Amino acid sequence: MRITVTVNGREYESEVEPRTLLVYYLREHLELKGAHVGCDTTNCGACTVLLNGKPVKSCTVLAVQANGQQVMTVEGLEQDGVLHPVQQSFWEEHGLQCGYCTPGMLMSAYSLLEKKQDLTEEEIRKGISGNICRCTGYVNIVKAIQSAGRQMAEKKQLEQNQSEVIGSGN
């Protein structure tokens, strides 16, 4: 079956078997290896990507279901060689251990922070509850998400201030 999927802003047309899972389509057809195959049962979240802006476990979504849709993978976070604040904060706050869960954690965190940057620890833990860190590094993961939220809020405020200055003609 022929599908067209926009991944990280780039459109791809591919011929796929109808039963191909999205995670395997991304990894094997598009060579985007960021989403990991962990459990194949939606329990671990290592394969989390955004489908039309919403986090999904790509191990239980068929590639054909993404036909005509927008997909964002962890590879889409970095822009022009600059890490997204979520990536930067995971590095700075030691939210990375073995790294297996990291792509899924990053995508879940990104999705959470796109909606609200000032998250409580409880909101973060609930928001990432579908992602399992087998190293149990949740304390630093939560710290990293809080740090990223602060950075994103500061950036948003700066952009708002700049647009107000431009709008006022000063």
Side-chain angles (χ1 to χ4, degrees):
M1 181 171 187
R2 187 142 198 92
I3 63 170
T4 302
V5 182
T6 301
V7 181
N8 301 328
R10 181 176 168 196
E11 187 175 290
Y12 295 90
E13 284 189 38
S14 306
E15 191 71 34
V16 297
E17 288 287 323
R19 62 183 175 199
T20 301
L21 294 172
L22 182 57
V23 69
Y24 292 109
Y25 172 69
L26 295 169
R27 292 181 61 83
E28 295 170 6
H29 288 255
L30 305 184
E31 297 293 321
L32 295 171
K33 307 287 187 181
H36 291 161
V37 179
C39 64
D40 258 346
T41 59
T42 75
N43 289 316
C44 77
C47 65
T48 302
V49 299
L50 302 186
L51 181 60
N52 295 328
K54 295 182 179 172
V56 297
K57 310 284 179 61
S58 61
C59 72
T60 56
V61 174
L62 296 170
V64 295
Q65 292 175 295
N67 185 30
Q69 309 298 315
Q70 304 277 328
V71 175
M72 182 175 179
T73 68
V74 71
E75 291 92 344
L77 289 175
E78 169 268 325
Q79 296 293 313
D80 300 322
V82 178
L83 294 178
H84 186 276
V86 173
Q87 294 169 303
Q88 187 69 32
S89 294
F90 266 67
W91 179 69
E92 291 172 355
E93 299 292 339
H94 307 286
L96 314 162
Q97 290 194 16
C98 80
Y100 205 83
C101 71
T102 303
M105 288 285 186
L106 289 171
M107 297 313 293
S108 290
Y110 174 85
S111 176
L112 278 173
L113 293 169
E114 282 292 299
K115 296 176 204 147
K116 181 181 176 189
Q117 291 82 46
D118 185 23
L119 296 166
T120 65
E121 180 178 341
E122 184 179 338
E123 289 171 320
I124 292 169
R125 288 185 181 271
K126 184 177 178 185
I128 63 169
S129 63
N131 297 82
I132 296 173
C133 173
R134 60 187 180 188
C135 303
T136 68
Y138 295 102
V139 170
N140 289 345
I141 289 169
V142 170
K143 283 182 189 176
I145 295 170
Q146 288 173 321
S147 175
R150 285 190 296 275
Q151 290 177 42
M152 291 172 70
E154 288 171 9
K155 182 178 177 188
K156 194 175 187 178
Q157 184 63 48
L158 182 64
E159 289 171 353
Q160 186 176 0
N161 291 346
Q162 289 174 339
S163 71
E164 288 173 7
V165 169
I166 291 170
S168 70
N170 293 331

